Amino acid sequence: MTVLDDIIDGVREDLAERRRALPLEDVRATALAAPAPLDAFRSLGAGEGGSLAVIAEVKRSSPSKGALADIADPAALAASYEQGGAAVISVLTEERRFGGSLADLDAVRAAVGLPVLRKDFTVDEYQIWEARAHGADVVLLIVAALSDDDLRSFLALTHQLGMNAIVETHTADEVRRAVAAEARIIGVNVRNLKTLDIDRGVFAELAHLITSGTVVVAESGVRDAADVADYAASGAHAVLVGEALVRHQDPSATIDEFRRAGRTAWSSRGAAARS
């Protein structure tokens, strides 16, 4: 059994408990009554000011590193991310391995005016309705965890609800599946789901397979501005960053630094292309 399989088994158990407590029809009613979602596709792809978009993550722990930060006030952390220029706030809601919750999502949604990503392991449409009911504008769809039919179905539901999805890939085959499903935002996660090892070179290998007009997100492996610059130079429109922010004493300044690093990398790439 892979790490992903183990996580998903726990996700399904926890989902069954929530479904027993709150039927899908009740979740749907709340979702449909919620304010209209914000446009994360535009936020991530606009490249405001020529700078890379940063998806800043509220993340307490991870399977690879264990405890990362004691985040007593996720709303305050998210507000500092917004102040630093983040384009989207990502909130981990998986509890067993990441220490997250839907309560964190509620707190962040109430605190910021940016699009909010519910980052979890989506295996059932209930979770998409649930995300919308709690104010999320974006969900994560991991290609490795879904059949092609489920991927297309879940994408269609997010669009029906006015939401966006980051479709996460790890291999060339998964990128091709995401492109075939007409994903508008494709993430390349450089963490191996079987070993949890990081290989930053994977991003450059896969990014060129993603079709023009798609927002490309680099996921995992960001330690500093140099990593951000490398991703930007290889075609990233956005980076998703958790650990490097929650462990930093000034996450707002770090986001600004990352955005400037991306802008410099883009400028250098453009100058090289013109020469």
Side-chain angles (χ1 to χ4, degrees):
M1 176 180 287
T2 67
V3 174
L4 178 62
D5 293 332
D6 186 48
I7 292 173
I8 288 177
D9 283 349
V11 166
R12 290 189 184 278
E13 290 178 14
D14 294 341
L15 173 59
E17 291 185 9
R18 297 199 305 278
R19 190 190 288 272
R20 284 192 292 269
L22 193 63
L24 177 58
E25 51 267 31
D26 293 345
V27 177
R28 280 178 174 159
T30 303
L32 293 174
L38 303 176
D39 189 352
F41 179 80
R42 181 177 180 181
S43 297
L44 294 175
E48 181 182 353
S51 60
L52 194 78
V54 175
I55 304 172
E57 192 155 84
V58 177
K59 183 178 185 179
R60 290 189 171 87
S61 63
S62 75
S64 61
K65 295 290 184 68
L68 298 175
D70 181 16
I71 303 173
D73 190 345
L77 178 60
S80 72
Y81 288 165
E82 183 173 31
Q83 182 180 7
V88 172
I89 308 297
S90 171
V91 183
L92 263 302
T93 60
E94 197 279 334
E95 183 174 1
R96 298 187 185 204
R97 296 294 191 99
F98 294 89
S101 69
L102 286 166
D104 287 347
L105 181 60
D106 291 337
V108 170
R109 173 69 287 163
V112 301
L114 300 176
V116 174
L117 162 66
R118 186 221 179 150
K119 194 177 180 196
D120 210 316
F121 297 79
T122 305
V123 294
D124 191 284
E125 72 167 50
Y126 184 99
Q127 294 164 282
I128 299 174
W129 286 101
E130 188 178 51
R132 183 81 282 271
H134 286 266
D137 311 285
V138 196
V139 294
L140 182 72
L141 302 178
I142 302 174
V143 174
L146 300 170
S147 68
D148 287 341
D149 286 345
D150 281 344
L151 177 59
R152 289 183 179 275
S153 174
F154 292 170
L155 271 173
L157 178 56
T158 62
H159 297 158
Q160 174 189 329
L161 294 174
M163 304 173 73
N164 282 286
I166 297 178
V167 178
E168 180 176 297
T169 64
H170 303 80
T171 66
D173 180 62
E174 290 176 11
V175 170
R176 294 186 186 98
R177 289 176 59 199
V179 170
E182 300 182 347
R184 302 176 70 209
I185 307 171
I186 296 180
V188 175
N189 193 332
V190 303
R191 186 181 298 281
N192 186 307
L193 290 180
K194 296 179 181 179
T195 65
L196 299 182
D197 292 337
I198 291 285
D199 181 356
R200 293 174 186 82
V202 167
F203 181 80
E205 294 173 7
L206 300 185
H208 76 279
L209 300 175
I210 300 173
T211 52
S212 176
T214 305
V215 171
V216 182
V217 181
E219 300 180 49
S220 299
V222 173
R223 299 162 297 185
D224 51 34
D227 290 330
V228 173
D230 286 345
Y231 284 145
S234 297
H237 301 110
V239 291
L240 192 154
V241 189
E243 180 182 344
L245 295 179
V246 299
R247 286 184 161 175
H248 203 282
Q249 292 185 342
D250 191 348
S252 180
T254 304
I255 291 171
D256 181 62
E257 180 186 7
F258 287 175
R259 294 176 72 223
R260 286 187 282 109
R263 180 166 58 244
T264 300
W266 281 352
S267 297
S268 298
R269 187 175 62 176
R274 290 190 296 270
S275 63

